Amino acid sequence: MSQSGATVSQECITAFNDLKLSKKYKYIIFKLTDDNREIVIEDASADKDWENFREKLIKATTKTRTGAVSKGPRYAVYDFEYNLASGEGARNKITFIAWSPDDAGVMPKMVYASSKEGLKRSLNGVAVELQANDPDDIEHDTVLKVVSKGLAG
């Protein structure tokens, strides 16, 4: 359980293990239910196109208590692959992304921030964590530099 009281659904852990062990998915996007009580899967895909994944994060929405819809935070894991510049071959790192756009509402951002550790503790095998607040933070080249520590070719 997280600081916010939100629990992680078992389907999140199962899907993460499918991504990690059997490579069934390339990425998984997680969200909080509208009542903020549980973290669930919003999308899980084998699509290797980074831009499709990025667009899904950017277009994510959340409902306020009044029913209004606004930009919303999300969590995601992405099995990021890259080649080393030294020619030593390909590498992959499972990357946890905490997406919390600057223009999202204050309440959703607070709830997501206080729920993040509960999800991360449930996902054993995450190699890199990335906090993203702006679409530029999730540009492929920006993430590549962080994930590869500048060693990608």
Side-chain angles (χ1 to χ4, degrees):
M1 185 178 294
S2 64
Q3 288 178 347
S4 69
T7 58
V8 178
S9 76
Q10 185 59 44
E11 71 172 351
C12 294
I13 298 163
T14 302
F16 177 76
N17 287 331
D18 287 344
L19 176 145
K20 180 175 78 171
L21 302 173
S22 63
K23 306 292 184 191
K24 181 177 176 181
Y25 303 114
K26 186 68 175 168
Y27 65 82
I28 306 166
I29 299 174
F30 305 97
K31 70 175 201 155
L32 279 161
T33 54
D34 287 341
D35 62 4
N36 294 328
R37 293 184 188 269
E38 188 175 32
I39 299 169
V40 296
I41 294 175
E42 181 175 61
D43 190 16
S45 176
D47 183 359
K48 294 183 179 199
D49 188 331
W50 176 265
E51 285 305 311
N52 290 344
F53 165 73
R54 184 176 175 269
E55 279 300 308
K56 288 179 183 186
L57 289 180
I58 291 170
K59 291 181 177 177
T61 59
T62 190
K63 273 187 186 170
T64 63
R65 287 188 191 168
T66 61
V69 176
S70 64
K71 286 193 175 185
R74 290 293 184 274
Y75 312 111
V77 287
Y78 193 96
D79 190 359
F80 206 91
E81 296 176 31
Y82 60 94
N83 290 307
L84 293 172
S86 62
E88 293 177 24
R91 301 284 189 268
N92 74 308
K93 298 251 172 113
I94 296 176
T95 306
F96 181 90
I97 300 170
W99 169 248
S100 186
D102 288 330
D103 50 357
V106 172
M107 191 62 161
K109 290 194 316 191
M110 286 174 31
V111 175
Y112 270 78
S114 63
S115 302
K116 178 176 81 170
E117 286 305 315
L119 177 60
K120 272 184 38 194
R121 273 196 304 272
S122 300
L123 307 178
N124 294 318
V126 170
V128 179
E129 180 185 345
L130 184 71
Q131 175 67 45
N133 304 91
D134 182 89
D136 291 344
D137 294 343
I138 51 174
E139 286 283 350
H140 185 271
D141 290 345
T142 305
V143 176
L144 178 62
K145 283 180 190 161
V146 173
V147 171
S148 71
K149 297 180 180 159
L151 299 176

